[in-house]
């Protein structure tokens, strides 16, 4: 029970990595707010946690909307009495070469990853400062916070940006006991990745199996995908770490794809 009675807001938690984090946090005793664009799926995940004896609510939230973030965070506080952990995880991927990149799609991706991180961070910080019991903010970065890949310009740009944001939160939050860190996963088989495989195959004129072997897992030490549980364990470690000794850091969980 490493998160007993902590309140954790996880964005994008109706699917993939965020869902796995929500399930693990609930098993570790946290009260979990599943904040997602997809309210029905968020409520289904909350019900799944409730069915196992955990505590969770689903909240409809577009992280790019100032009003929806404010309302969702206020609902979280009203229901569970504060916020101890924020996992800013909601994200999308759009694949195209830079010379072909649609401006609206560029802006949409940056907005979800960066405006979403900012808006949820600001709301969480206000509550953490007010509550006076510190907190932990975790950003879902990527190996693409450290490394580039062709066809992913806005994603690589946004994921690098999250490291900068985490460092500022670490500096500003320290006197309030608020820590901020970034998890940088390698490829995890979630709907986000399953959608990219045929897109990349088409863009590059190669087979889907070749996309997996020669692009996604090429640089790993063992040709293995990272799992959502691997990432959730890292998110648990950051959430449960009890001092400012570990702040402003980024942790790569990628089967050695990127080594620093
Ligand atoms: P996913 O598609 O399975 O889940 C993403 C969730 O975010 C969905 O439930 C979706 O409804 C939600 N979402 C999308 N836009 C939103 C918005 N505007 N407001 C609120 N919710 C929104 O994806 P995933 O693979 O679990 O990705 C989660 C995070 O992990 C993303 O930030 C992604 O960049 C990052 N990541 C994924 C991988 C991977 O290989 N899957 C690797 C590194 C980092």
């Amino acid at each position: 029970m490493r998160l007993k009675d902590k309140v954790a807001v996880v964005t994008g938690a109706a699917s993939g990595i965020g869902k796995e984090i929500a399930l693990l946090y609930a098993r570790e005793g946290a009260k979990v707010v599943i904040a997602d664009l997809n309210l029905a799926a968020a409520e289904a995940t909350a019900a799944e946690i409730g069915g196992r004896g955990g505590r969770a609510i689903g909240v409809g939230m577009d992280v790019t909307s100032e009003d929806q973030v404010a309302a969702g965070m206020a609902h979280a506080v009203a229901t569970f009495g504060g916020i101890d952990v924020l996992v800013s995880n909601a994200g999308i991927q759009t694949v195209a070469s830079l010379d072909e990149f649609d401006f609206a799609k560029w802006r949409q991706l940056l907005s979800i990853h960066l405006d979403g991180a900012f808006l949820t961070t600001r709301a969480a910080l206000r509550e953490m400062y007010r509550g006076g019991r510190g907190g932990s903010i975790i950003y879902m970065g990527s190996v693409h916070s450290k490394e580039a890949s062709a066809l992913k310009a806005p994603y690589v740009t946004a994921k690098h940006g999250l490291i900068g944001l985490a460092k500022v939160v670490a500096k500003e939050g320290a006197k309030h006991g608020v820590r901020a860190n970034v998890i940088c996963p390698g490829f995890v088989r979630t709907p986000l990745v399953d959608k990219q495989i045929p897109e990349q195959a088409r863009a590059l004129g190669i087979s889907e199996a070749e996309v997996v072997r020669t692009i996604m897992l090429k640089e790993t030490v063992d040709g293995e995908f990272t799992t959502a549980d691997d990432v959730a364990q890292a998110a648990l470690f950051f959430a449960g770490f009890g001092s400012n000794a570990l702040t402003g850091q980024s942790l790569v969980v990628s089967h050695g794809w990127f080594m620093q």
Side-chain angles (χ1 to χ4, degrees), residues 20-150:
E20 199 67 31
I21 292 171
L23 295 173
L24 179 61
Y25 279 10
R27 285 202 300 277
E28 293 289 337
K31 299 180 254 188
V32 186
V33 179
I34 319 270
D36 203 287
L37 203 53
N38 185 339
L39 175 61
E43 286 180 333
T45 304
E48 192 179 326
I49 289 172
R52 296 178 191 173
R55 289 164 297 178
I57 55 167
V59 171
M61 182 194 289
D62 178 347
V63 295
T64 68
S65 158
E66 190 171 10
D67 292 346
Q68 289 188 31
V69 170
M73 299 299 253
H75 184 50
V77 173
T79 308
F80 289 137
I83 297 173
D84 299 291
V85 179
L86 166 68
V87 184
S88 171
N89 166 81
I92 61 164
Q93 179 62 278
T94 309
V95 178
S97 62
L98 263 171
D99 55 315
E100 300 287 343
F101 226 103
D102 180 69
F103 186 38
K105 289 197 166 152
W106 162 273
R107 285 212 286 215
Q108 179 198 32
L109 193 146
L110 290 187
S111 181
I112 293 171
H113 290 257
L114 294 179
D115 297 348
F118 163 69
L119 290 171
T120 52
T121 296
R122 190 180 63 177
L125 284 178
R126 285 174 177 168
E127 182 53 33
M128 288 171 179
Y129 293 174
R130 195 193 58 77
R133 44 183 216 231
S136 178
I137 298 184
I138 298 158
Y139 298 100
M140 198 51 62
S142 163
V143 164
H144 288 112
S145 299
K146 311 269 182 182
E147 183 61 277
S149 289

